[in-house]
Amino acid sequence: MMKNPYWSNHAIYQIYPRSFCDSNGDGIGDIPGIISKLDYLQRLGIHIVWLSPLYRSPNDDFGYDISDYEAINPEYGTMEDMERLIAEAKKRDISLVMDLVVNHTSDEHPWFLASKDKNSPYHDYYYWREGKNGKAPNNWTSVFPGSAWEYVPEVGQYYLHIYGKKQPDLNWHNPKVLEEVEKILRFWLDKGIYGFRCDVINQIWKDSLENGKGHSPSGRGMEHYLSRPGDHDILKKLRSDVFEHYDCIVIGETVNVDYPNGRKFLDQELDMFFQFDTTGVGKPATPLYFPHFSSQKFMEKIYGWQKEVAWNANYLENHDQPRSINRFGDPAHHWKESGKMLALLNFTLRGTPFVYEGEELGMLNYPRMEEPKDYQDVSAKNTYQILKKYRIFSEKRIRRFVDVYNRDHERCPFPWDSSKNAGFSSSDKPWLPIEANVSFLNAESEEKDPDSIYAFYQKLIALRLEDQTLALGSIEPLPLPDPLYAYRRIFEGRSEMILFNFSSQEKALPKDFSLEGTLRLATYSDTCLKGKRTLRAYEGLLLQEK
Ligand code: NOJ
C-alpha cells in the first residue's frame, strides 16, 4: 500500500501572478497583491500554491523566459516581498511551489549574453551551431511556430530555441548546466519553498540534432527531444543530489508524454506530472477543420491515465489551456451546473487535483481579443503571422484557429468583486481585459452564496482533506452509456461512487443501475436519491456506498 504523502489529499492552487491582484495600480498583478489575498486562499481551504514564474524576465513569454533565477521581476516586487510572501503563507499553513523553467533561459540572461563569445565557457551552455548551405542547422520548427533556429550575425552562428526566439535552449549535455540548476534549486528550497513545477521537463534532453520528420510549422524534430532517456537520467540526478534532501514536491509538465515514460517519471524522478491527452481532446490541428468536443473521447483519455499510472496531476485548465467550462461544459446554458460537475470529476479522480486561479469561481475565457495587434501571447502572435504568410486560409479561419490556442483568454485578471476592473487593479488599463461577466462572477458574491461554484469547491477541498478513500483509494470505472459516467473509489473496505451526466440534456439511468448509499455531495442543491432514475444537465453525485 502506498504511504500517505502530504499532497495525496491536498488540492494545489495555481496563481498566475500577473493576473491575480495588483496592489500598486500599474495594471499588473504583484506579490503584495498575492499577500493581500492569502486569507481568501485560506478560506477556500488551500494549503499548497503553485506560483507561475515571478523571476526577473523581459516577459516575452511572461516569465517563462528568465533572465535571473535568483531575482524577482521588479514588476512583481522585490526579494523582500517574496520572503514576506513565504512567511505570510507559512503562517496560514500554505506552502509555495515555484515554477522551474530550465529547458531555456531568456536571451537576456547573462549566460546567454556571455555565450555569444565563442571563446567563453558559456558558449557551450546553449546550442550554437553553424548553418548548412546558408540555412539553419536542421529543419526543426519551434513549438511557437516558425524555425527553431535564430541566426546571430555578430556570432556567425545559429542558436536553438524550441519555444520563442527569446527563449534559447540550454545545453544539458554540458554538466555545468546541471550544476547551475542545482544551485538555483537549493537557493529557493533554502528560502523555504516547498518544491517546483518543472516546465516542459521532458524536452530538456536533445538526443541529436538530426532533421525532424514531417512538415509541421510547429514542433518538427520533437522525436529527438521528447521524453528521451537523458531526461530521466537528469531527473534522477536532481532527485538524489537535491530534492531528496528537502521536504518538497516535484511536479513535471511533461508534454505529450506516453504511459511508459509516465511510469518512469514516477520512479524516483517526479512526484506527479501533467499529461496533455485530456486537454488536447477536440482541439483542431489546422484551421481546416474544427472538431466537436466528445465527452466519450475525453473520458477515455482520463480513464486511460487513471489505469496506467499510479498517480496523476489532475487538471482541467491552466495558464496555457482554455477555461474548462468553455471547453468541456456549457457556459451559455449550464454555466454553474457544468462548472460544478467538472469540479466533482477533477476532485474525485485518483491523483492530486489542480485548481487554476478563478476556476473555483467558474471563470470563463475572455470572449475574443479584439484584433491580432492586441494579442499579448507570443504563441498567438507567431501562429497568426505564420498562417498569414502561407496565404492558404481565410482571415476568418486563421483568427478562429488562433482563438482556440490564444492563451490570453485564460489569463484575464481575477474578478475579486464588481467594482472597477473587478477589484483586480485601480489602473485605467489592466494588462489584459476584464472578464465580461463580473457582475455576478466574482469572488465577493460567490463567497456569500452557499450554492455557488466557489462554495462547491470549498466543499470538495475540505472533503479531499478528510476522505481517505478519495485520497488513496483505487478507481474502477463502471459501464454506462455516454454521456453518463460513473466510477467507484475503493479503500480498505469502503467504497464511494461518483456519477454524472456529461451533457446538457436530462438522461435516464439504465434500468439495472442501482443508486444505493448515502448522498454525500451533489452538484444540484435539491438532489434527492429516493426514486431517482434520471440525471439532469451536468448533474453529478457522490455516494457513500459502504
Ligand atoms: C510551458 C508553460 O506552461 C508555458 O506557459 C510556456 O510558454 C512554455 N512552457 C515555455 O516555457
Side-chain angles (χ1 to χ4, degrees):
M1 191 182 52
M2 159 182 192
K3 69 178 188 315
N4 190 352
Y6 185 61
W7 32 260
S8 61
N9 60 345
H10 285 84
I12 301 186
Y13 188 92
Q14 181 192 357
I15 290 184
Y16 191 71
R18 210 172 174 77
S19 300
F20 197 54
C21 180
D22 169 19
S23 73
N24 61 359
D26 63 358
I28 295 169
D30 48 43
I31 297 175
I34 299 176
I35 297 174
S36 73
K37 298 300 180 187
L38 286 172
D39 290 341
Y40 167 82
L41 295 177
Q42 197 179 24
R43 290 196 296 279
L44 184 59
I46 290 295
H47 291 280
I48 309 178
V49 168
W50 149 33
L51 299 158
S52 275
L54 289 157
Y55 314 90
R56 188 183 287 271
S57 158
N59 280 333
D60 195 59
D61 191 14
F62 299 116
Y64 287 91
D65 49 324
I66 298 170
S67 55
D68 187 344
Y69 291 88
E70 295 181 8
I72 295 295
N73 184 342
E75 282 178 326
Y76 299 153
T78 61
M79 189 57 86
E80 288 70 47
D81 290 328
M82 186 63 200
E83 283 161 0
R84 199 156 57 86
L85 171 59
I86 298 171
E88 288 296 322
K90 199 166 175 210
K91 277 188 204 160
R92 294 163 178 85
D93 199 11
I94 295 176
S95 307
L96 302 176
V97 172
M98 289 185 76
D99 229 297
L100 179 75
V101 188
V102 289
N103 173 68
H104 44 266
T105 67
S106 159
D107 65 343
E108 297 182 30
H109 194 290
W111 301 338
F112 187 75
L113 298 177
S115 81
K116 291 183 181 173
D117 174 356
K118 286 184 188 160
N119 298 316
S120 156
Y122 290 101
H123 193 67
D124 191 41
Y125 271 40
Y126 296 88
Y127 288 95
W128 285 103
R129 293 293 184 276
E130 306 291 330
K132 279 193 184 149
N133 309 322
K135 285 201 189 141
N138 69 23
N139 67 3
W140 292 9
T141 50
S142 154
V143 176
F144 298 161
S147 171
W149 295 92
E150 185 72 8
Y151 183 67
V152 181
E154 57 188 289
V155 185
Q157 288 185 325
Y158 291 78
Y159 67 84
L160 174 70
H161 60 89
I162 63 169
Y163 285 87
K165 68 176 177 205
K166 283 184 69 61
Q167 295 166 297
D169 279 51
L170 282 165
N171 171 19
W172 279 85
H173 289 261
N174 180 347
K176 291 295 285 176
V177 168
L178 180 105
E179 247 177 66
E180 300 273 14
V181 169
E182 291 193 345
K183 200 173 134 263
I184 296 164
L185 297 178
R186 291 193 189 98
F187 175 87
W188 286 106
L189 290 165
D190 288 339
K191 276 197 186 293
I193 284 298
Y194 176 56
F196 296 91
R197 171 268 188 191
C198 309
D199 191 67
V200 298
I201 201 67
N202 64 333
Q203 298 186 317
I204 61 179
W205 185 262
K206 279 78 186 170
D207 260 354
S208 85
L209 295 182
E210 280 164 37
N211 275 340
K213 293 196 200 97
H215 298 281
S216 175
S218 111
R220 176 160 59 175
M222 217 183 264
E223 65 273 25
H224 300 295
Y225 61 83
L226 197 71
S227 302
R228 308 315 302 151
D231 297 325
H232 295 288
D233 296 341
I234 292 167
L235 282 168
K236 285 212 160 61
K237 179 101 178 92
L238 292 178
R239 173 147 313 255
S240 61
D241 288 357
V242 185
F243 297 134
E244 213 168 82
H245 306 283
Y246 293 85
D247 171 22
C248 69
I249 184 173
V250 191
I251 306 159
E253 187 203 27
T254 46
V255 180
N256 299 344
V257 64
D258 56 14
Y259 299 142
N261 276 291
R263 285 191 282 268
K264 276 197 207 157
F265 283 124
L266 292 184
D267 180 15
Q268 300 296 307
E269 297 178 19
L270 301 166
D271 293 313
M272 63 188 82
F273 61 87
F274 298 113
Q275 46 78 15
F276 279 59
D277 285 346
T278 40
T279 47
V281 169
K283 278 196 178 161
T286 74
L288 272 182
Y289 173 61
F290 293 84
H292 284 295
F293 169 70
S294 148
S295 51
Q296 192 166 0
K297 287 195 184 133
F298 181 75
M299 289 304 297
E300 268 167 26
K301 298 282 181 199
I302 290 198
Y303 284 154
W305 280 100
Q306 290 286 305
K307 176 166 164 261
E308 294 289 340
V309 300
W311 197 258
N312 278 280
N314 294 313
Y315 73 108
L316 298 170
E317 61 186 55
N318 61 31
H319 66 297
D320 293 331
Q321 299 290 340
R323 292 289 180 181
S324 51
I325 300 182
N326 292 90
R327 282 270 284 131
F328 315 126
D330 180 352
H333 309 100
H334 296 286
W335 164 68
K336 190 188 276 192
E337 294 79 8
S338 56
K340 289 186 183 180
M341 187 222 85
L342 289 165
L344 180 72
L345 167 65
N346 198 24
F347 271 76
T348 54
L349 293 171
R350 186 175 157 84
T352 300
F354 281 71
V355 181
Y356 175 52
E357 61 175 41
E359 188 175 354
E360 77 279 19
L361 304 176
M363 247 184 115
L364 299 172
N365 286 339
Y366 184 79
R368 184 179 286 268
M369 295 302 133
E370 304 304 329
E371 291 294 329
K373 72 172 173 37
D374 296 324
Y375 296 162
Q376 297 272 356
D377 174 6
V378 55
S379 133
K381 288 184 206 168
N382 287 5
T383 311
Y384 178 76
Q385 276 162 10
I386 297 235
L387 290 173
K388 288 292 281 184
K389 233 192 258 167
Y390 281 177
R391 294 171 181 276
I392 309 175
F393 308 108
S394 67
E395 173 75 16
K396 203 169 151 202
R397 268 185 189 271
I398 294 178
R399 291 239 205 145
R400 184 169 168 206
F401 182 76
V402 175
D403 220 42
V404 176
Y405 291 96
N406 185 351
R407 300 175 298 176
D408 294 340
H409 296 297
E410 60 268 16
R411 296 178 177 179
C412 285
F414 189 100
W416 290 105
D417 53 42
S418 55
S419 68
K420 178 179 173 179
N421 294 327
F424 161 71
S425 167
S426 59
S427 156
D428 287 332
K429 206 172 176 335
W431 82 284
L432 276 176
I434 303 295
E435 241 265 14
N437 307 298
V438 295
S439 58
F440 62 92
L441 201 169
N442 69 65
E444 188 184 60
S445 54
E446 290 204 33
E447 273 202 85
K448 286 186 199 140
D449 173 5
D451 189 39
S452 66
I453 296 182
Y454 170 93
F456 195 67
Y457 269 86
Q458 219 176 19
K459 282 186 201 148
L460 284 167
I461 293 167
L463 186 70
R464 277 295 301 225
L465 271 178
E466 44 109 0
D467 188 320
Q468 291 270 92
T469 310
L470 287 183
L472 299 176
S474 61
I475 178 165
E476 195 185 279
L478 302 174
L480 273 181
D482 176 70
L484 295 176
Y485 290 90
Y487 44 90
R488 248 186 208 121
R489 301 294 312 275
I490 302 164
F491 185 66
E492 292 183 344
R494 292 172 72 83
S495 137
E496 291 176 29
M497 182 171 69
I498 294 89
L499 170 69
F500 52 86
N501 171 5
F502 210 144
S503 84
S504 301
Q505 286 84 42
E506 181 157 10
K507 296 283 168 188
L509 287 164
K511 290 203 171 52
D512 54 352
F513 191 87
S514 110
L515 268 191
E516 272 168 36
T518 322
L519 187 62
R520 287 195 62 193
L521 203 60
T523 56
Y524 283 62
S525 53
D526 60 354
T527 294
C528 164
L529 277 192
K530 198 156 181 270
K532 187 165 181 63
R533 294 311 305 162
T534 64
L535 290 186
R536 290 168 278 181
Y538 296 100
E539 188 168 17
L541 322 172
L542 171 65
L543 302 188
Q544 183 78 51
E545 293 185 307
K546 290 195 249 178

